[in-house]
Amino acid sequence: MTLTEQDLRHLRRCVALAEESLNEGDQPFGSVLVSAEGAVLAEDHNQIHTNATWHPELALAQWAAVNLSETERAQTTMYTSGEHCPMCAAAHAWAGLGRVVYICSGKQFASWCQEWGVPPSPVAALAINEVAPDVIVEGPVPELMEQVRKLHQQYFKQQGLIN
């Protein structure tokens, strides 16, 4: 996998959005939806403190389904700090979105949680293509992974789940 400078710029924005999420008391996940021309169409971060299913990938898939044509949706790239959960992977596929580029995988996140002694997620850490086999997926991105890991570790510390 070879990422362009544009890919890395959008992924860095995902990290910044994840940090915003953390600063608002949410788990640090951030996502950016980008057009075929490289323009940012929409961005979001986790907001599960107000709605348990407000994942940024789901919110962006819903936004795209309302605001973009089928052709435009198919040409998008979803950049995200963490690989889609099964709910978000399904929404991505149902909305007909294009490529996904993620920094850390669901399995990597689950292994961090296990390492820290954090209770497991109620949802299996399935890869995107296990849920949505036709979606083009690129990741993980090792050069940004440590930043994402530290944000999650900080979140769990703030929640009193780890020391």
Side-chain angles (χ1 to χ4, degrees):
M1 168 181 68
T2 303
L3 296 178
T4 66
E5 187 50 45
Q6 176 177 285
D7 291 329
L8 290 171
R9 181 171 34 90
H10 293 306
L11 288 168
R12 284 188 210 94
R13 179 63 184 148
C14 291
V15 173
L17 288 164
E19 189 167 4
E20 284 181 33
S21 184
L22 177 66
N23 292 338
E24 293 178 17
D26 266 309
Q27 279 190 278
F29 290 97
S31 302
V32 178
L33 187 64
V34 176
S35 72
E37 297 75 33
V40 173
L41 299 168
E43 59 182 35
D44 204 355
H45 61 75
N46 240 22
Q47 297 180 48
I48 59 172
H49 66 281
T50 56
N51 178 336
T53 60
W54 193 296
H55 294 191
E57 306 92 336
L58 176 60
L60 294 178
Q62 291 171 331
W63 177 89
V66 172
N67 292 286
L68 301 176
S69 71
E70 184 176 343
T71 300
E72 289 169 322
R73 291 192 308 267
Q75 295 172 350
T76 62
T77 297
M78 172 90 67
Y79 294 93
T80 188
S81 60
E83 183 176 19
H84 295 358
C85 72
M87 172 182 70
C88 295
H92 190 105
W94 283 115
L97 298 178
R99 168 179 172 239
V100 175
V101 182
Y102 66 82
I103 295 172
C104 81
S105 71
K107 291 194 187 309
Q108 182 64 58
F109 177 70
S111 76
W112 294 339
C113 290
Q114 184 177 23
E115 172 190 334
W116 298 327
V118 173
S121 169
V123 177
L126 301 176
I128 293 170
N129 287 142
E130 291 179 79
V131 177
D134 295 330
V135 174
I136 297 166
V137 179
E138 295 183 51
V141 179
E143 56 261 53
L144 296 173
M145 197 175 300
E146 187 57 26
Q147 289 176 295
V148 171
R149 183 182 188 279
K150 285 179 181 177
L151 291 172
H152 285 289
Q153 190 173 33
Q154 186 176 346
Y155 171 78
F156 291 124
K157 283 181 180 179
Q158 289 174 352
Q159 299 301 308
L161 295 172
I162 62 174
N163 294 322

